[in-house]
Coordinates of all heavy atoms in Angstrom, one line a residue:
Q307 N -35.6 235.3 65.7 CA -35.3 236.4 64.8 C -34.1 237.2 65.4 O -33.2 237.6 64.7 CB -36.5 237.4 64.8 CG -36.3 238.7 64.0 CD -37.5 239.6 64.1 OE1 -38.6 239.2 64.3 NE2 -37.3 240.9 63.9
E308 N -34.1 237.4 66.7 CA -33.0 238.1 67.3 C -31.7 237.4 67.2 O -30.6 238.0 67.1 CB -33.3 238.4 68.8 CG -34.5 239.3 69.0 CD -34.6 239.9 70.4 OE1 -34.0 239.3 71.3 OE2 -35.3 240.9 70.5
V309 N -31.7 236.0 67.3 CA -30.5 235.2 67.2 C -29.9 235.4 65.8 O -28.7 235.7 65.7 CB -30.8 233.7 67.4 CG1 -29.6 232.9 66.9 CG2 -31.1 233.4 68.8
L310 N -30.7 235.4 64.8 CA -30.2 235.5 63.4 C -29.6 236.9 63.2 O -28.5 237.1 62.6 CB -31.2 235.2 62.4 CG -30.8 235.2 60.9 CD1 -29.7 234.1 60.8 CD2 -31.9 234.9 60.0
E311 N -30.2 237.9 63.7 CA -29.7 239.3 63.6 C -28.4 239.4 64.2 O -27.4 240.0 63.7 CB -30.7 240.3 64.2 CG -32.0 240.4 63.4 CD -33.1 241.2 64.1 OE1 -32.9 241.5 65.3 OE2 -34.2 241.5 63.5
W312 N -28.2 238.8 65.4 CA -26.9 238.8 66.1 C -25.9 238.0 65.3 O -24.7 238.5 65.2 CB -27.2 238.2 67.5 CG -25.9 238.1 68.4 CD1 -25.3 239.1 69.0 CD2 -25.3 236.8 68.7 NE1 -24.2 238.5 69.7 CE2 -24.2 237.2 69.5 CE3 -25.4 235.5 68.3 CZ2 -23.3 236.2 70.0 CZ3 -24.6 234.6 68.8 CH2 -23.5 234.9 69.7
L313 N -26.2 236.9 64.8 CA -25.3 236.1 64.0 C -24.8 236.8 62.8 O -23.6 236.8 62.5 CB -25.9 234.8 63.6 CG -26.1 233.7 64.7 CD1 -27.0 232.5 64.1 CD2 -24.8 233.2 65.2
V314 N -25.7 237.5 62.1 CA -25.3 238.2 60.9 C -24.3 239.3 61.2 O -23.3 239.6 60.5 CB -26.6 238.8 60.2 CG1 -26.2 239.7 59.0 CG2 -27.4 237.6 59.6
A315 N -24.6 240.1 62.3 CA -23.7 241.1 62.8 C -22.4 240.6 63.2 O -21.3 241.2 62.9 CB -24.4 241.9 63.9
M316 N -22.4 239.4 63.8 CA -21.1 238.8 64.3 C -20.3 238.3 63.1 O -19.1 238.5 63.0 CB -21.5 237.6 65.1 CG -20.3 236.8 65.7 SD -20.9 235.5 66.8 CE -19.3 234.9 67.5
K317 N -21.0 237.7 62.1 CA -20.3 237.3 60.9 C -19.6 238.4 60.2 O -18.4 238.3 59.7 CB -21.3 236.6 60.0 CG -20.7 236.2 58.6 CD -21.7 235.7 57.7 CE -21.2 235.5 56.3 NZ -22.2 235.2 55.3
A318 N -20.3 239.6 60.1 CA -19.7 240.7 59.4 C -18.5 241.3 60.1 O -17.5 241.6 59.5 CB -20.8 241.8 59.3
E319 N -18.5 241.3 61.5 CA -17.4 241.8 62.2 C -16.2 240.8 62.2 O -15.1 241.3 62.1 CB -17.8 242.1 63.7 CG -16.7 242.7 64.5 CD -17.2 243.3 65.8 OE1 -18.3 243.8 65.8 OE2 -16.5 243.2 66.8
L320 N -16.5 239.5 62.2 CA -15.4 238.6 62.2 C -14.7 238.4 60.8 O -13.6 237.9 60.8 CB -15.9 237.2 62.7 CG -16.4 237.1 64.1 CD1 -16.8 235.7 64.5 CD2 -15.4 237.6 65.1
E321 N -15.4 238.8 59.8 CA -14.9 238.8 58.4 C -14.3 237.4 58.0 O -13.2 237.3 57.5 CB -13.8 239.9 58.3 CG -14.3 241.3 58.5 CD -13.3 242.4 58.3 OE1 -12.1 242.0 58.6 OE2 -13.6 243.5 57.9
G322 N -15.1 236.4 58.4 CA -14.7 235.0 58.0 C -13.7 234.3 58.9 O -13.4 233.1 58.7

Side-chain angles (χ1 to χ4, degrees):
Q307 175 183 336
E308 295 197 340
V309 169
L310 187 59
E311 291 169 351
W312 177 75
L313 286 171
V314 170
M316 182 178 185
K317 177 189 170 187
E319 183 166 323
L320 295 182
E321 297 181 333

